[in-house]
Amino acid sequence: MEVALLGNPNTGKTSLFNHLTGSYEYVGNWSGVTVEKKVGVLKNKTDKLIDLPGIYTMVPLSRDEGVVTNFFLHDHTDQILNILDASQLKRNLHLTLQILEYGKPITIGLNMMDVAKQRGIHVDVNRLSALLGVPIIPIVARSGKGCNELANSVISQNSFYSERTPVEYGKEIDRAVLKIKKMLKGNKALSSRWLALQLLEGNQYVKSYLAEFIQLEEINEIVREVEEELYKSYGQKSVEQYIYLKRSEYIEEILAEATVSSNENKVHLTDKVDRIITNRILGIPIFLLLMYLMFMLTFDWLGFPLSDLLDRFISGPITEGIESLLSLMGVSAFIHDLIIDGIVAGVGGVLVFVPQIFILFFFISLLEDSGYMARVALVMDRIMESVGLNGKAFIPMIIGFGCNVPGVMAARTIETPKERLLTILLTPLMSCSARLPVYALFVGAFFVKNKAAVVLGLYVLGIVLALSLAMLFSKTILKGENTLFVIELPPYRMPQGQTLWRSTWEKGKGFIRKAGTFIFAGSVLIWLLSYLGPGGFNVDMDQSFLAVIGGIFAPLLAPVGFGTWQAGASLLTGFLAKEAIISTMNIIYFVPDEASLQGLLAVQFTPLSAISFMVFILLYIPCLATASTIYKETESKKWTAFSIGYALLLAYIVTLVIYQGGHLLGLV
């Protein structure tokens, strides 16, 4: 049996999916987390659960919503598990009515019963179940309360579909449904009523589907006739609006019978906090302050001490143990140097920053689970609108702070092609976690007293440049209409320990995984290039192939402050993964420990050139995984090449201004 999991954004679908399948998918207390369908196996090890992106209606406005419509048109499901937010039933039930019209067995999980209780909303579950004609199980997905009962209901196929039509739309709509049913002549496995209603609501995916069986002229004629009849009878020009109003009337009748609200006029804690957090004047300073505190904890108070301990452990007991083992095995000098100078130096040099990465991800997860991230998008809306985007585009950018790949994918939630493409192109300018080890290395060498301020400045610079380019691109190469910004602000919640741990681990393990794959392979290749040269084997580093390759770029990089072959070689490997820059430097400047590496960097760089180098790392080409995702999302080689080209040009121009401008001001 295959069960489709469907509901509005931020109703707890993914939390429920994780609980029912025993797996873990990314969970956030904000909209737009799920952007494509995910499939898991229920705990009975037999039936499948398909987690679909959250939608408010089956008429798609964005690509992630289109995933749902395409699923219902072309994929198979035996039944539907619809998740409702008990505190937001009036809005949620619009989708439920569309699901009922689809004609498949349905079970409803009534989530967030605890939130509804806090808001003084009492739901008569039995009465609501009777009115809708489907089984309803009350749950709290975050804590797992009621989830096993819901799973048992689904697994036992206790769901059912009532042939009773939930909403009466009137004779005009019914005639259109009948016409489409006759025209299809049984050439479909879907409910003709659902298809007709979706067509009349303006669902272009359904219109294309129907065009396979019915002439497009006939389809357009049916829609036109309904529009004329509704205008004559009710003065209603929009079929979509008419259907919406009919559903709204039915929902009001249901809520009047099945719910009671006792705190309608009470100002809730969420609203009180939002008066400060989302204030038009205080909102952005509060966001920057939180970011600064997060970086202080990551770099000063917690991160660096832990990284130093790990570094001493890797450079001490780990390296000594491996060397002893290699001596016992009697390996050749080549293998010894490859493992110690290449793999251990390269991979170990990256792994020492794991504590800082996990601390950063912990605080990002904390902000997400509390509900604050949605407020950041709202606070940024006015600025985003002024540059040709809206606040929703800032959500992929925030996700990009962790990793640019899911950030680019999250742009699917944006409705218009213009704004979606703009967001995809600009998200790689967000400083992802892979750049963090580079920052940590350089701020530890040059800016010990101002680590958090320097790193915050880099993050803010990425945002400012992204917004500036958004304004430029939206007025030149990507002209188009802007959309209105609508976002659901979830209630503030006390983050749960298990959720924080799983979220932090899922984000951070990708960093560790790359250390064991990309960085491992890259370290071997980099060491071999440093070991081999035109003159043969075991050549001096300055005569190696790595020096030759890096030397090609050195003259180009001299005007921006780091015109050495070592810098050129390090930047080249950064295309594979930004962490590879650290592994390359650890191999090139091979020293016993990180402190000595920072000492060598202090000789190779100046504070001004160090700033220039970090800014270059922030802006220059997206990594290979991000570039591949851009191609997948845009389906365009042109835009993928443009995303690489403009970023490289931007990095060079900005660092040239910083370095040369700094020299003119007398900085070094």
Side-chain angles (χ1 to χ4, degrees):
M1 183 173 64
E2 294 186 350
V3 182
L5 179 59
L6 191 61
N8 283 185
N10 205 50
T11 52
K13 292 187 306 83
T14 306
S15 294
L16 179 65
F17 178 85
N18 292 339
H19 187 89
L20 296 183
T21 61
S23 60
Y24 181 80
E25 293 294 344
Y26 178 41
V27 177
N29 185 19
W30 53 342
S31 303
V33 171
T34 305
V35 294
E36 59 185 354
K37 70 177 184 181
K38 302 180 178 73
V39 181
V41 179
L42 292 171
K43 292 182 179 179
N44 65 352
K45 306 299 182 184
T46 303
D47 303 321
K48 293 181 179 179
L49 185 64
I50 304 165
D51 183 20
L52 297 167
I55 57 173
Y56 293 106
T57 170
M58 285 195 175
V59 181
L61 296 175
S62 57
R63 282 189 61 182
D64 64 318
E65 293 176 349
V67 169
V68 178
T69 298
N70 274 325
F71 175 84
F72 280 99
L73 286 173
H74 303 293
D75 293 338
H76 170 76
T77 182
D78 295 293
Q79 62 171 295
I80 299 170
L81 177 54
N82 178 211
I83 304 304
L84 300 181
D85 179 351
S87 66
Q88 302 287 349
L89 281 177
K90 185 175 182 179
R91 183 180 66 242
N92 285 199
L93 284 170
H94 279 276
L95 178 61
T96 302
L97 295 180
Q98 293 181 66
I99 296 173
L100 287 168
E101 290 159 355
Y102 184 69
K104 286 283 187 178
I106 176 175
T107 299
I108 290 178
L110 191 58
N111 193 22
M112 302 191 188
M113 295 295 289
D114 54 338
V115 177
K117 183 178 180 181
Q118 291 170 6
R119 295 186 176 183
I121 300 172
H122 172 72
V123 182
D124 187 336
V125 177
N126 293 330
R127 184 57 183 155
L128 185 61
S129 175
L131 290 168
L132 291 175
V134 296
I136 299 177
I137 311 296
I139 62 171
V140 179
R142 279 167 60 85
S143 64
K145 183 179 179 181
C147 291
N148 290 333
E149 183 181 353
L150 179 62
N152 293 334
S153 177
V154 171
I155 292 170
S156 64
Q157 301 188 53
N158 195 30
S159 321
F160 61 92
Y161 172 67
S162 172
E163 293 296 328
R164 177 177 65 85
T165 302
V167 184
E168 295 293 339
Y169 295 104
K171 59 186 179 182
E172 296 84 3
I173 301 293
D174 289 341
R175 277 198 294 266
V177 172
L178 187 60
K179 284 182 182 179
I180 289 175
K181 185 175 183 179
K182 288 181 179 179
M183 290 178 177
L184 286 171
K185 299 175 182 177
N187 291 327
K188 47 78 194 167
L190 302 174
S191 164
S192 57
R193 181 176 180 80
W194 180 79
L195 289 170
L197 289 168
Q198 288 294 304
L199 171 68
L200 295 173
E201 286 188 82
N203 192 324
Q204 295 301 312
Y205 289 77
V206 169
K207 186 174 184 178
S208 299
Y209 175 84
L210 288 172
E212 298 176 12
F213 310 102
I214 306 172
Q215 292 293 322
L216 194 58
E217 294 78 8
E218 293 180 287
I219 293 174
N220 292 332
E221 180 62 22
I222 291 172
V223 176
R224 188 185 62 79
E225 287 178 358
V226 174
E227 287 176 343
E228 290 180 353
E229 290 176 3
L230 289 177
Y231 185 69
K232 288 178 182 178
S233 301
Y234 311 104
Q236 180 62 259
K237 295 182 180 180
S238 169
V239 182
E240 303 98 298
Q241 189 67 15
Y242 174 81
I243 292 174
Y244 176 82
L245 290 173
K246 283 293 183 181
R247 288 190 183 131
S248 296
E249 291 172 2
Y250 184 72
I251 290 170
E252 291 289 354
E253 294 174 5
I254 290 175
L255 296 180
E257 289 193 47
T259 65
V260 176
S261 181
S262 59
N263 291 334
E264 292 183 357
N265 299 320
K266 182 180 178 181
V267 179
H268 300 286
L269 178 61
T270 290
D271 300 320
K272 293 177 181 177
V273 175
D274 277 344
R275 290 174 181 173
I276 301 172
I277 295 296
T278 62
N279 183 275
R280 58 184 299 176
I281 298 174
L282 298 176
I284 292 178
I286 289 173
F287 170 59
L288 293 176
L289 177 61
L290 287 174
M291 293 281 286
Y292 179 74
L293 290 174
M294 185 167 69
F295 291 133
M296 284 292 289
L297 287 163
T298 301
F299 291 100
D300 277 342
W301 300 336
L302 296 176
F304 262 98
L306 292 175
S307 288
D308 288 342
L309 286 174
L310 182 59
D311 181 42
R312 287 197 289 270
F313 180 68
I314 291 175
S315 61
I318 295 292
T319 303
E320 292 169 3
I322 293 174
E323 284 190 320
S324 299
L325 181 62
L326 294 175
S327 298
L328 288 173
M329 295 172 63
V331 300
S332 65
F334 173 80
I335 297 297
H336 176 277
D337 292 345
L338 170 63
I339 294 175
I340 299 300
D341 300 349
I343 296 173
V344 174
V347 177
V350 172
L351 288 179
V352 296
F353 297 103
V354 165
Q356 292 166 331
I357 296 296
F358 272 81
I359 290 170
L360 180 66
F361 281 148
F362 172 80
F363 287 110
I364 290 176
S365 300
L366 187 68
L367 295 178
E368 288 175 347
D369 202 41
S370 67
Y372 176 70
M373 284 303 195
R375 273 78 183 174
V376 176
L378 178 63
V379 165
M380 291 296 296
D381 179 54
R382 182 177 291 113
I383 296 176
M384 301 292 283
E385 187 178 355
S386 68
V387 300
L389 293 169
N390 69 41
K392 185 178 285 188
F394 199 64
I395 292 176
M397 294 181 182
I398 296 172
I399 294 174
F401 288 158
C403 178
N404 290 162
V405 171
V408 170
M409 293 176 64
R412 295 179 187 178
T413 61
I414 299 171
E415 291 84 356
T416 64
K418 169 235 177 181
E419 292 183 349
R420 184 164 59 247
L421 180 56
L422 256 180
T423 306
I424 288 172
L425 294 175
L426 298 176
T427 295
L429 297 180
M430 299 302 103
S431 190
C432 67
S433 62
R435 298 169 169 100
L436 204 62
V438 181
Y439 302 160
L441 185 65
F442 277 83
V443 296
F446 295 96
F447 310 103
V448 178
K449 296 181 179 180
N450 300 293
K451 299 188 190 83
V454 171
V455 176
L456 176 61
L458 291 167
Y459 275 72
V460 172
L461 177 63
I463 295 171
V464 170
L465 289 174
L467 297 182
S468 301
L469 287 174
M471 179 182 291
L472 175 65
F473 292 162
S474 63
K475 291 182 178 179
T476 53
I477 59 175
L478 286 172
K479 294 181 180 179
E481 292 186 5
N482 295 341
T483 55
L484 293 175
F485 175 50
V486 179
I487 189 171
E488 178 183 353
L489 295 181
Y492 290 106
R493 298 173 188 153
M494 183 63 67
Q496 293 184 318
Q498 183 180 12
T499 301
L500 287 178
W501 159 244
R502 296 185 72 174
S503 179
T504 302
W505 170 248
E506 288 299 317
K507 291 183 178 79
K509 75 176 183 181
F511 183 84
I512 299 175
R513 187 186 297 118
K514 279 197 285 185
T517 53
F518 273 111
I519 307 304
F520 181 90
S523 296
V524 172
L525 177 61
I526 293 163
W527 184 84
L528 287 173
L529 289 174
S530 70
Y531 185 82
L532 305 173
F537 298 91
N538 198 18
V539 299
D540 184 78
M541 184 83 74
D542 290 330
Q543 307 301 319
S544 66
F545 284 124
L546 188 62
V548 172
I549 296 170
I552 296 173
F553 301 99
L556 296 173
L557 298 173
V560 296
F562 37 90
T564 63
W565 72 260
Q566 292 93 335
S570 300
L571 290 171
L572 189 64
T573 59
F575 177 61
L576 295 176
K578 294 297 187 287
E579 303 97 323
I581 295 170
I582 292 296
S583 61
T584 304
M585 285 187 163
N586 271 278
I587 292 170
I588 292 174
Y589 303 113
F590 180 69
V591 286
D593 55 61
E594 185 208 348
S596 297
L597 174 58
Q598 289 181 337
L600 281 175
L601 290 178
V603 175
Q604 296 287 326
F605 290 81
T606 66
L608 181 59
S609 63
I611 285 287
S612 181
F613 188 77
M614 288 189 287
V615 171
F616 199 89
I617 298 299
L618 165 70
L619 302 175
Y620 92 121
I621 55 178
C623 69
L624 180 61
T626 302
S628 301
T629 306
I630 291 173
Y631 176 71
K632 178 183 175 183
E633 294 299 309
T634 61
E635 299 178 346
S636 169
K637 294 179 181 178
K638 179 187 76 172
W639 287 116
T640 305
F642 178 79
S643 70
I644 295 172
Y646 97 79
L648 190 57
L649 181 62
L650 177 68
Y652 197 85
I653 292 173
V654 173
T655 51
L656 185 66
V657 170
I658 290 173
Y659 187 71
Q660 296 299 333
H663 265 303
L664 290 176
L665 294 174
L667 302 176
V668 293

